[in-house]
Amino acid sequence: MSAVSLPPLPPTPEEGYRPGGRSIADIVDREHQQLLTLLDQLTGPDAAPQEGLAVLTAALSRHLSAEEQYLLPAVRAALPDAAERVDAEINADAALLATLKALSDETLTEVVERVRRHVDRVGALVAELRAVATEEELIRLGNRLEIAEEAAPTRPHPGTPATPPWNRIVEPAVGVVDKVRDVVTRRPTYLADLPEPPRD
């Protein structure tokens, strides 16, 4: 029995079933920390801008897409009083993606500020969701989020739908095109694609 009303998820096979995987709250918190670390590297003295900007763009595009597909709908369903904040976050995501689309050394400062605000606002929503949802619900949402991220676009597309069900249909299709372009151009899209930062 669910503790809160969440978006449709695959049925559980039996009573007492405990899914494997990581909680959506833990995944989002970890990704936020990774994004902040990457931003610190990109704005530091030993930054490798071009590769780093490509990875930041891909990581943020995947992250925002998956959040809009599963995290934000879950928050809206579980926390009706947070609906306005969810709407505001979707609008902020669109503005961040638009800025990301024109990302350069000159616009990096604006992206950094927008990402830091995103981390603060979404972090607060995650903490509230964690307080009302069961661990099983959070894990099942985490599994869906990870699947969505793997299929998500690696480039910003601020004009695509930002709410279910359409974003769950359009985003994977756009993601396929992005991934083909990434392969053809040998564009780095993961943190592991970046050279190790120098050690002190």
Side-chain angles (χ1 to χ4, degrees):
M1 183 79 176
S2 292
V4 295
S5 174
L6 294 175
L9 290 169
T12 55
E14 58 191 38
E15 191 69 32
Y17 166 76
R18 180 171 172 78
R22 296 184 297 153
S23 153
I24 194 170
D26 291 342
I27 294 168
V28 170
D29 286 347
R30 181 170 180 269
E31 288 183 0
H32 283 169
Q33 287 309 308
Q34 289 174 330
L35 287 168
L36 293 175
T37 299
L38 178 56
L39 291 174
D40 287 342
Q41 291 172 4
L42 290 176
T43 53
D46 300 313
Q50 290 315 309
E51 288 181 334
L53 294 182
V55 170
L56 175 65
T57 298
L60 265 174
S61 297
R62 282 192 301 263
H63 176 77
L64 296 177
S65 172
E67 280 188 348
E68 288 177 354
Q69 288 182 57
Y70 287 98
L71 175 66
L72 296 181
V75 170
R76 189 191 299 279
L79 302 160
D81 290 346
E84 284 187 15
R85 290 160 62 201
V86 169
D87 290 338
E89 197 55 41
I90 289 170
N91 291 334
D93 285 356
L96 174 52
L97 287 170
T99 307
L100 203 58
K101 195 162 184 161
L103 181 60
S104 66
D105 293 341
E106 290 72 33
T107 58
L108 181 57
T109 301
E110 182 181 351
V111 169
V112 169
E113 291 170 358
R114 287 185 182 277
V115 171
R116 292 192 188 286
R117 290 197 296 267
H118 168 87
V119 168
D120 288 343
R121 290 189 305 260
V122 174
L125 292 173
V126 166
E128 292 171 43
L129 179 65
R130 196 192 290 266
V132 298
T134 66
E135 189 64 17
E136 289 75 13
E137 289 167 336
L138 294 173
I139 290 172
R140 291 173 71 207
L141 283 166
N143 291 337
R144 303 303 288 177
L145 183 93
E146 290 186 313
I147 291 168
E149 277 201 343
E150 280 308 307
T154 59
R155 298 167 191 263
H157 299 279
T160 58
T163 54
W166 293 110
N167 61 348
R168 293 179 186 165
I169 297 167
V170 173
E171 297 272 287
V174 173
V176 169
V177 176
D178 283 355
K179 288 174 179 63
V180 170
R181 290 176 64 194
D182 294 339
V183 170
V184 169
T185 60
R186 298 184 178 181
R187 174 177 177 252
T189 59
Y190 287 95
L191 292 173
D193 297 333
L194 291 176
E196 287 286 324
R199 296 181 185 275
D200 294 332

